Amino acid sequence: MEKPISLLATLIVLLLYASDCLAAPSSRNSLFATFLNCLKTHTNQPNQVSNIVYSQTNASYDSVLKASARNARFNNPSTPKPLLIITPLNENHVQNSVLCAKSIGVQLKIRSGGHDFEGISYVSQAPFIILDMFHFQNVIVDVQNEIAVIEAGATLGQVYYRIYEKSSVHGFPAGVCPTVGVGGHLSGGGYGNMIRKHGLSVDHVIDAKIVDVNGRILDREAMGDDLFWAIRGGGGASFGVILSYTVRLVPVPETVTVFQVDKTLEQNATDLVFQWQQVAPHTDERLFMRLVMQPVAKRTMRASVMALFLGGADEVVTLLEKEFPLLGLKKETCHEMRWIDSVLWWANYNDGSTLKALLDRSHYRVHYNKKKSDYIQTPISKAGLNLIWKKMIELGRVVLIFNPYGGRMNEVPYDATPFPHRAGNLYKVQYSVTWEGGGDGADKKFIGEIRMMYSYMTPFVSKNPRSAYFNYRDLDIGVKMHGKDSYQDGVVYGSKYFNRNFERLVKVKSAIDPQNFFWNEQSIPILGSNKLFL
């Protein structure tokens, strides 16, 4: 009986949303006026308010919406659009936006960088408004105390650049894409090419500021241990609006080394990948070797090892001659540079860009894409690898990216933060497919291919649950189908993202936001009577 009710409820929501989107301009204007008046009533600077709220009739609405829409799949005329976009200039604007959205009873989506792979921060099937943290870009670096206070709307590129302005021997362990927003990256875990030496981004968060459902601004002391734990890997958008994170910086050497080595199947790539599994998760923790595998011309595969070593070229060449002889690394293949220059190298800014490119939020090519993730806990045999290559060649477009763990990741307990995928995981798999030109036909074709590849990998990956990385958002693994309060839906995807940490997240959510105002398609659910039926 439950399924028909669910479908009916879903249809009702869609019909209501459609009717709202197609409503007469006076109806939309009424919502705009109501929200605007609410903000003006609660702010000390009412004259600013008109400049931060964009209705669908505003001439700048489209450009503001698309500025941080990083997946072209969600950037077409048929994509549901927000009724309003709010771009707060200060903390008071954020507080009042939460209170006004709650008083009107409309869903609030929170966006920092817009890199959410499923567009959850700027798309919804229910009537919604966007709170875009674009203006919250300050990065205050205190080298003497080795900390930085980073606002949620800053990008990773801005963070790296601002650190470098103050010190050439400090860095921060986070992602390799400079246009990713801090608010989402850190609240979901955050990792990069220093993960084996320094762990996750959230392992270095020492304080935070969040606006809760009651409009209060809470720091670590005020929010308490449970909420502070939850927003360091459990996703900030389930609990409130992240304003900033205070992080501890990490030391980086004056010279680091990067290299890339490519091998095809004809050049013994299968043996290379098999040996990579024995080495990459266990070698010196200063060395991170990402493995990228993709079909190429003449129906073969190419395996590319991309690496960062926190040290000099001579040392890493000597190390890998012993541990990873099949790689065949030579000193002339290596590039020694400053850590900040390695950020540009990893971001593929090979167009002669200067370091100032890290400050450019638009330095990102928007394309159609779909991502998925898995964890490998037992090395895949050569026979298994050959089967995988055959399937990838057959599909033709799907890319697999292996990111090694080990090192520091083995030392942090699984429940230290909501991110549970620590010791016992050799590496994480990212599935990626990109394409040019949209339309239902292309979307169906390429999304179908990545789903087939994901299904094919079932025998090789983690089980009970088959785990996934929260920041590689994937709606295929479960969504809210029975309403925004559904625990029974939440546990489906929540157990995959958070494993045994999921129940604690539910308890924190239920305490901090008992009416579940902050919800989305994969948010943490609240405790409810439907849990009794599991």
Side-chain angles (χ1 to χ4, degrees), residues 235-252:
S238 287
F239 305 96
V241 183
I242 302 295
L243 295 173
S244 67
Y245 282 109
T246 302
V247 303
R248 191 163 297 284
L249 305 179
V250 302
V252 295

Side-chain angles (χ1 to χ4, degrees), residues 167-349:
S167 170
S168 62
V169 291
H170 286 86
F172 186 68
V176 301
C177 180
T179 55
V180 167
V182 165
H185 189 67
L186 266 66
S187 71
Y191 85 99
N193 52 26
M194 293 196 288
I195 186 174
R196 302 190 65 255
K197 173 65 175 176
H198 295 294
L200 301 175
S201 303
V202 292
D203 296 336
H204 301 270
V205 173
I206 59 174
D207 205 342
K209 289 175 72 175
I210 185 173
V211 174
D212 74 358
V213 69
N214 296 312
R216 300 176 300 174
I217 297 178
L218 308 174
D219 61 8
R220 177 176 182 173
E221 182 179 2
M223 75 177 75
D225 292 342
D226 285 340
L227 182 54
F228 184 64
W229 174 85
I231 61 173
R232 290 179 296 133
S238 287
F239 305 96
V241 183
I242 302 295
L243 295 173
S244 67
Y245 282 109
T246 302
V247 303
R248 191 163 297 284
L249 305 179
V250 302
V252 295
E254 292 185 358
T255 299
V256 304
T257 303
V258 298
F259 63 81
Q260 178 171 334
V261 175
D262 301 323
K263 303 281 187 181
T264 64
L265 291 182
E266 294 74 20
Q267 296 169 322
N268 214 16
T270 301
D271 288 344
L272 176 87
V273 174
F274 183 75
Q275 190 171 83
W276 176 93
Q277 293 180 105
Q278 322 302 318
V279 177
H282 307 291
T283 189
D284 190 313
E285 64 182 11
R286 293 173 296 163
L287 177 59
F288 175 86
M289 292 188 289
R290 169 175 282 178
L291 183 64
V292 181
M293 286 157 297
Q294 59 191 55
V296 291
K298 298 181 181 178
R299 296 188 64 77
T300 188
M301 293 288 301
R302 180 175 66 224
S304 301
V305 177
M306 303 174 61
L308 170 71
F309 179 66
L310 299 172
D314 287 335
E315 187 177 3
V316 71
V317 169
T318 300
L319 174 71
L320 293 182
E321 281 177 348
K322 177 182 178 182
E323 294 189 358
F324 196 3
L326 286 179
L327 186 65
L329 183 65
K330 305 298 181 184
K331 186 173 181 180
E332 53 266 30
T333 309
C334 299
H335 306 279
E336 292 184 328
M337 60 186 67
R338 301 172 301 178
W339 176 79
I340 190 65
D341 295 313
S342 77
V343 173
L344 285 181
W345 186 88
W346 274 87
N348 292 318
Y349 285 8

Side-chain angles (χ1 to χ4, degrees), residues 65 68-71 74 80 82 111 114 119-124 128 130:
L65 176 61
S68 297
R70 305 296 188 182
N71 191 338
F74 309 111
R111 182 168 74 171
I120 284 179
S121 63
Y122 56 95
V123 178
S124 180
F128 72 109
I130 291 177

